[in-house]
Amino acid sequence: MWLKIGSIRYSTVTFKPGDPPRGMQIGHDAHEVPLDRGLRHFKSTQEFLEQILSKVASKSGVDIKALFTDDARKRLVLAAGGVARDYLRLASGSITEARNRGVSEKTGSHRVIVEDVNKAAGLISPTKFDDLRKDEPDEALELEKLVRQITEFCREKKSAYFLVATDEAVLSEQINKLQHLRFTHLLVESETIPDKGSQRFNVWLLDVAELSAQRATTGMDFLKWEKRENRRNRRLIFSSPDVPGNGGSPATQPDDLGRASAPPQQPTLDDSE
């Protein structure tokens, strides 16, 4: 007999040791079948989502590569967090924004551009906070504050992605909850940082909707994390001072002598269309 159980990964505990132990151990008693591709395999996720959109568009004789610029297609995947439902919703919203904007002298303005995707994403930000208050009523204020802290951190660093140490258990648990609520998206697991010894970090992307709602997309680096040398940057380590056990602040990191300092800004790619 095969029993299939559907659940939310980061809200599910499948096994608890004890006497007797409870549940099932993944990899031994049960196998995990992830349904969401997420952003950890960005290229294959984009290809998968565009196959879906192309089949929908083909019924109207529309070529999505002619309709959306290359950068807009990438931004759609990021803004949707790799989730097909959100991807189709944002694609529709982006087309609406492009129609409302109209054609101008700007190159590529006759197509859907990054700016249109950002605006469509920004419009859904309030509904995400409504969902947060409904799904996590006991921690809503704390999680909303954490979203604001991460947003300010990303704005300062001009980077939509950030790093969190895996040994910061409380903070990691909170960010996992934000992933369930689609405020953060996991990019890379168990990354290392030069001069940090054996300490491991997860690389996260702040949701495009939140950055768009705060008008913080201009000059923001969204895709450099694909190259490992870019994401292995200790200036991108986020540590909330409001989470028990965390030290430092989101805006500063200790220098080589242990002093608190604001690291110099690194050059980033422009948020071009």
Side-chain angles (χ1 to χ4, degrees):
M1 180 179 71
W2 292 90
L3 178 64
K4 295 181 180 179
I5 302 172
S7 69
I8 299 171
R9 179 181 180 186
Y10 295 102
S11 298
T12 303
V13 177
T14 60
F15 180 80
K16 283 188 177 181
D19 187 16
R22 292 182 293 162
M24 296 181 293
Q25 287 183 299
I26 300 297
H28 297 282
D29 307 311
H31 297 281
E32 184 180 56
V33 182
L35 299 181
D36 284 338
R37 289 174 176 256
L39 299 176
R40 283 174 288 180
H41 306 285
F42 184 83
K43 185 177 180 180
S44 63
T45 296
Q46 181 177 358
E47 291 174 352
F48 171 71
L49 294 175
E50 289 186 353
Q51 284 179 6
I52 298 174
L53 183 58
S54 293
K55 288 183 179 180
V56 175
S58 65
K59 294 182 179 181
S60 300
V62 175
D63 179 1
I64 66 168
K65 293 184 178 180
L67 180 61
F68 294 87
T69 65
D70 290 346
D71 288 337
R73 285 164 43 220
K74 290 181 180 179
R75 186 60 53 84
L76 266 178
V77 178
L78 290 174
V83 178
R85 175 197 60 191
D86 293 345
Y87 177 83
L88 293 174
R89 178 184 178 186
L90 285 170
S92 175
S94 301
I95 294 171
T96 300
E97 290 297 327
R99 284 174 170 169
N100 292 338
R101 167 178 53 79
V103 179
S104 66
E105 296 180 356
K106 190 173 185 179
T107 303
S109 64
H110 62 291
R111 304 162 74 189
V112 178
I113 58 178
V114 167
E115 177 185 336
D116 303 317
V117 179
N118 289 339
K119 287 183 178 180
L123 292 176
I124 66 175
S125 178
T127 62
K128 291 191 174 185
F129 280 104
D130 290 339
D131 292 340
L132 183 154
R133 299 178 190 111
K134 293 176 184 176
D135 294 346
E136 299 287 348
D138 296 334
E139 298 183 59
L141 292 177
E142 188 176 356
L143 291 175
E144 285 187 50
K145 185 175 182 179
L146 180 58
V147 171
R148 292 194 296 270
Q149 288 178 334
I150 295 173
T151 303
E152 288 305 311
F153 178 84
C154 290
R155 292 183 71 166
E156 178 186 342
K157 305 301 180 183
K158 286 294 183 182
S159 172
Y161 52 93
F162 59 97
L163 286 72
V164 173
T166 56
D167 56 9
E168 292 193 8
V170 177
L171 178 59
S172 295
E173 181 181 357
Q174 288 183 330
I175 292 181
N176 277 334
K177 289 181 179 179
L178 290 180
Q179 179 173 227
H180 160 49
L181 296 162
R182 309 192 313 281
F183 281 99
T184 57
H185 308 287
L186 184 61
L187 298 174
V188 180
E189 289 184 287
S190 195
E191 183 59 275
T192 58
I193 303 294
D195 303 323
K196 284 292 184 179
S198 59
Q199 192 174 20
R200 299 279 174 169
F201 299 83
N202 287 338
V203 185
W204 296 89
L205 179 79
L206 177 61
D207 188 61
V208 175
E210 181 61 18
L211 289 169
S212 298
Q214 299 299 324
R215 301 179 184 275
T217 56
T218 302
M220 186 70 65
D221 172 17
F222 283 92
L223 286 170
K224 277 189 175 181
W225 61 268
E226 293 181 289
K227 292 186 177 180
R228 192 178 181 214
E229 62 268 24
N230 293 329
R231 64 178 183 256
R232 298 178 72 219
N233 191 333
R234 62 180 178 176
R235 64 181 283 272
L236 300 178
I237 298 174
F238 174 82
S239 182
S240 172
D242 297 321
V243 176
N246 287 345
S249 69
T252 62
Q253 296 295 334
D255 62 16
D256 293 335
L257 299 179
R259 302 169 298 192
S261 62
Q265 295 290 329
Q266 299 293 327
T268 60
L269 292 175
D270 289 337
D271 185 20
S272 61
E273 277 72 33

